[in-house]
Amino acid sequence: MTDSKDKASNAMWGGRFAAGPDAIMEAINASIGFDKRLYAQDIRGSRAHAAMLAAQGIIRDSDAEAIREGLLTVLSEIEAGNFPFRTALEDIHMNVEARLKEIIGEPAGRLHTARSRNDQVATDFRLWVRDQCDAAIAGLDALIRAMLGQAEAGAEWVMPGFTHLQTAQPVTWGHHMMAYVEMFARDKSRFEDARKRMNECPLGAAALAGTGFAIDRFATAAALDFDRPMANSLDAVSDRDFALEFLSSSSICAVHLSRLAEELVIWSSAQFRFVAMSDKWSTGSSIMPQKRNPDAAELIRAKIGRILGATVALFTVMKGLPLAYSKDMQEDKEQVFDAADNLMLALAAMAGMIGDLTVNTDKLEAAASGGFSTATDLADWLVREAGLPFRDAHHVTGTLVAMAEAKGCDLPDLSLTDMQSVNPAITEAIFGVLGVHNSVASRQSYGGTAPDQVRAQIARWKERLA
């Protein structure tokens, strides 16, 4: 004899099963603990489906109206926190439908006409991921604007450019900030592209083969703001490439966020002191009163682990599945939910940190002037003015660097006599290229670090964002 919980399960599965699942099967099978996040998308899809069924004469207008009003009641209950989610009903779809039946009675049973949970969940999830693409695009817009603000303020601030985290050549703060603008703009375009590709509607594909009812899939697609219905019913219910593409885009974006976070951690250290983060984005130590820890940046740096992990997990789930639907695909949502939550949090935190960042321009310029950062300018001058082949100029410059190291000074501090002892073609004019400001001003090639070039790039991006 079955208990009441078994009866609830039997009603959900129909007459095929004589007994309901035991506790372990119920636990592994249920997804309501996480897919209840899809409630708004599920109710929206059901309302569009019911309206289409009525328009096609498949259900009565009165039933469609009762369904519409009942679903609005369910929505208000969930949003108010009064909805009785039940694990025995497995998922958000059956929880909503069961509650709808309690509210409106027999018409609720007509809602599932000409659809399956397979196309229903594919539609709900696609709507949710589409919303997350929009959220990521908005978050990246805010971050790009914050980066542009820093770039504009520091278009002329000289700082060291690094390779291998060693001083390489002088650049400007604005140029460095604009490098991240370009990266985050590509991230934004990836989400925009992914959104375009995923904007097709699975609803109406039913379990896997379509339906014999005279439904209008173009109507439901339009009602849900999709560009068109998906063209193949097997594909519609069985693929999650839209979620994989969202996760892939999120992973690349998280890598860029992590790289910027790492620089903030380094730059805010006592050894660098290039920047100071505001109190809002720093924490203290429980034992060392002098500490000012860049915890927000460190946590952003760590987010790539969770987001990339979610990406790998879903690729692994999907890699061996035959068409069409398999229960394995229930494991898609938790990964995407977690990745999306962490990405949105990281984007918001980074935009806040960059907006509040204080830059120590004196430290930047002092660091830019050290480490023989204008050595390449000296070599370029020897090529341009003295006619040396670059390899010879490179050798002469290396010899002068070694001389400066031995004297404990920088290149501009060597005398003309010192320099001419290495190559007599060097003239007084060499000192005009050795200063860090002269160096950055000379980098006028497109995309270079010269302040004029940086300002031109800022203006271009401001125009695009406007």
Side-chain angles (χ1 to χ4, degrees), residues 382-394:
L382 289 168
V383 172
R384 197 169 50 245
E385 304 297 330
L388 271 66
F390 183 79
R391 284 300 164 205
D392 292 348
H394 187 281

Side-chain angles (χ1 to χ4, degrees), residues 257-258 260-266 268 277 281-282 293-303 349-350 353:
L257 288 166
S258 182
L260 177 54
E262 169 71 357
E263 294 201 312
L264 293 176
V265 170
I266 293 170
S268 62
M277 283 184 266
W281 307 107
S282 305
N293 298 324
D295 281 8
E298 291 171 353
L299 288 167
I300 290 172
R301 184 175 59 185
K303 294 299 182 187
M350 185 61 81
M353 278 193 295

Side-chain angles (χ1 to χ4, degrees), residues 69 161 227 245 248 269 345 391:
E69 292 299 323
D227 293 333
E245 191 164 8
S248 299
S269 68
L345 184 59
R391 284 300 164 205

Side-chain angles (χ1 to χ4, degrees), residues 3 12 25 74 177 292 359-360 440 452 455:
D3 60 19
M12 179 177 68
M25 180 59 193
V74 173
M177 294 298 102
R292 186 183 181 89
V359 182
N360 187 339
V440 297
D452 290 346
R455 291 192 180 96

